[in-house]
Amino acid sequence: MDAEKIEDIDAFDLKILDAVADNGRISVTDLASRIGLSKTPCNARLRRLIEDGYILGFRAIINPRKLGLDHVAFAEVKLSDTREQALSEFNAAVHKIKEVEECHMIAGRFDYLLKVRTQNIRRYREVLGEKISSLPHVASTSTSVAMQSVKER
């Protein structure tokens, strides 16, 4: 979002964003009541926030423990080439690995930080060896394993 767009939202819009981030299934009636507007203007604001790209979509938050996906590791990835073409190739390829929940380009001693969720350390080792290490331009990786998730969104 550009700086001009940020000026287009007000306190009601921010309340709407907070409310739907907390509960994407909230009804317009409940949303309107929660933020202090009537239903029609609240619904119009919600539609505008969606159309303007402030709200990118709605999704279910799946409990990974129920699926046996208790193991979280963070892989630091260093690339052998950081020119734009290499970055684009890496970015496109990492999207195809379902175990990678998040991928962030980092300014620091490595190039990318990946959050990887698997069933266990054995499966993580397979994903690292067969998928992550095989991504375009990967020179090296280093892993940190999460012992406990204190806050996740």
Side-chain angles (χ1 to χ4, degrees):
M1 284 182 257
D2 56 36
E4 294 172 27
K5 283 285 188 188
I6 293 171
E7 295 173 7
D8 291 343
I9 64 173
D10 62 15
F12 285 115
D13 293 331
L14 292 173
K15 287 179 184 178
I16 291 171
L17 293 173
D18 283 342
V20 298
D22 186 48
N23 178 6
R25 295 182 67 176
I26 190 170
S27 70
V28 174
T29 303
D30 290 343
L31 180 61
S33 174
R34 183 169 168 179
I35 68 163
L37 285 175
S38 63
K39 187 176 170 181
T40 301
C42 180
N43 193 37
R45 283 173 177 265
L46 179 61
R47 279 196 314 264
R48 181 179 48 80
L49 290 168
I50 293 168
E51 290 167 4
D52 288 351
Y54 288 95
I55 298 171
L56 298 176
F58 298 89
R59 64 179 182 200
I61 300 169
I62 308 300
N63 182 346
R65 287 186 156 191
K66 289 281 196 181
L67 299 173
L69 299 172
D70 291 350
H71 187 268
V72 175
F74 294 90
E76 298 173 357
V77 177
K78 181 106 175 104
L79 300 184
S80 59
D81 184 355
T82 56
R83 291 176 290 182
E84 198 58 41
Q85 179 67 29
L87 297 175
S88 294
E89 291 170 3
F90 178 89
N91 294 347
V94 78
H95 275 278
K96 297 175 184 172
I97 302 175
K98 70 177 179 132
E99 293 87 355
V100 175
E101 284 189 347
E102 297 179 17
C103 176
H104 304 273
M105 183 184 282
I106 302 293
R109 66 187 189 331
F110 53 92
D111 300 305
Y112 286 90
L113 180 64
L114 281 56
K115 179 181 176 187
V116 184
R117 185 178 295 275
T118 58
Q119 296 88 352
N120 51 45
I121 191 74
R122 180 188 53 73
R123 180 63 187 141
Y124 172 74
R125 186 180 174 286
E126 292 170 359
V127 170
L128 180 66
E130 296 171 12
K131 297 180 180 182
I132 295 171
S133 295
S134 299
L135 289 169
H137 311 287
V138 170
S140 64
T141 63
S142 178
T143 297
S144 296
V145 175
M147 294 177 11
Q148 177 184 7
S149 293
V150 177
K151 180 181 179 183
E152 287 188 286
R153 214 167 212 244

